[in-house]
Amino acid sequence: MAIKLSNRIQLIKPSPTLAISNKATEMKNAGLDVVNFGVGEPDFNTPDYIKQAAHKAIDDNFTRYTANAGIPELRKAICAKLERDNGLKYEPKQILVSPGAKASILDVLMAVCDAHDQVIIPVPYWVSYPYQVKLAEADPVYLTTYQEDGFRVKADALDKCIKENPTAKVLILNSPSNPTGTVYTKKELEEIAEVCLKHDILVISDEIYERLVYDDSKHYSIAAVSPEMQEHTVIVNGVSKAYAMTGWRLGYAAGPANIISYAGRMQEHATSCVNSITQKACVVALNDEDASIEEMRQEFDKRRNFLYTELVKNPHLSCFKPEGAFYIFPNISWYIKNNNMGIRNTDEFCSQLLERHHVALVSGGAFGTEGFVRFSYANSMENLTKGAQRFAAFLQELREAK
Ligand SMILES: Cc1ncc(COP(=O)(O)O)c(C=O)c1O
């Protein structure tokens, strides 16, 4: 007799970003020249100064369980970082170190949500938020944002959304954003904070792309709006993106001691501490940063400018110029509505592009937004050039198909 799966797990679908990557890898393994824009991770190696710290931790036999919430020197290094970069004071007991920012978000949701509490998720969203909310047995409430507003949550729309959803308790805010590259200004965050304070909403502020901002954009944490807002915010951040450490698995949450302590209980019985060697390496990553981190940012910036310029050359395509992170999210809805190749939706657009031109993108549907596709420009200039040409050739085919 087959064991019936839980209702909870049946709400969870496989990650769409991984699905497209797997298909692209399959094609690559079959010998095809695929350009994969699907992956959300830096293509750089972890900087040497960080790797050396990890070697040292192994040589020093720093290989046992650590404190569940993270080794004291790492929690101190995170407090120092929050003060240095964000002007925020935290004590180590307000920091939970987790195996990735992804885990931090789930721990916090588990600590604050009861069944059917509502969690507001701006759309387009990062793929994992809705599933994490459902795992916590809470209900996602989707708040649409628009390309013409730079995909920004507007304070009045948020206010209306909260009034319409009386059990709303949490807002998940992501700046710089995946998939749009939106970076909120201080003023916009002040306006959002005012609404959250009025309605007593907790903000989970996902700042994992903090270091990757371009042109005049500056990263600002909503927690820095006021001491009261700091009490209504859990900052989530980590080392995956800025330090090219995706496989090391370390993120953290910083927030009110009570929430952090209970999120830590969740972690204690789910995964326990982060790998001890990674923790030692991260102390050095944060405290002794060298020039390699800024060099990676500058390289991403170059690629962003290149890809944006190439994409907007295509007729009938419009695009918000990303201000941060390493994604670009063009609007291809004209091509869905006006093609004679039988493409009816964005998923079909992406699978035709992959099959015919060997370019992997993630369909906007994965982020809750039809008519858009996501490119990750964490890829070599050579691949960006090749991929942009193939993409343009596909659009031309769609325009010309009779
Ligand atoms: C918006 C956002 N938050 C969190 C994460 C997870 O980061 P981590 O590798 O620290 O789990 C990602 C990774 O893709 C992301 O894009």
Side-chain angles (χ1 to χ4, degrees), residues 40 99-103 105 126 129 174 178 206 208-209 237-241 246 249-251 327:
K102 196 178 253 186
I105 299 167
W126 177 47
Y129 297 146
N174 177 216
N178 173 6
D206 181 348
I208 189 82
Y209 294 99
N237 205 331
V239 293
S240 287
K241 313 290 176 169
T246 45
R249 307 311 299 134
L250 191 138
Y327 308 102

Side-chain angles (χ1 to χ4, degrees), residues 1-35:
M1 186 184 76
I3 301 294
K4 183 188 169 296
L5 294 167
S6 71
N7 293 331
R8 184 191 316 103
I9 208 64
Q10 290 184 67
L11 294 173
I12 310 301
K13 305 276 178 289
S15 161
T17 44
L18 288 184
I20 199 101
S21 265
N22 291 345
K23 175 96 200 307
T25 310
E26 242 172 59
M27 290 172 70
K28 250 186 190 162
N29 291 344
L32 295 170
D33 172 27
V34 176
V35 180

Side-chain angles (χ1 to χ4, degrees), residues 120 157-166 168 195-196 199 201:
I120 299 172
L158 177 63
D159 190 52
K160 184 163 173 277
C161 174
I162 297 170
K163 284 179 183 150
E164 287 169 1
N165 292 283
V195 176
C196 291
H199 296 285
I201 297 287

Side-chain angles (χ1 to χ4, degrees), residues 41-46 244 295-297 299-300 303:
E41 67 177 336
D43 53 323
F44 301 112
N45 292 326
T46 303
E295 282 162 17
M296 290 191 275
R297 189 198 69 83
E299 186 56 35
F300 285 133
R303 298 167 180 188

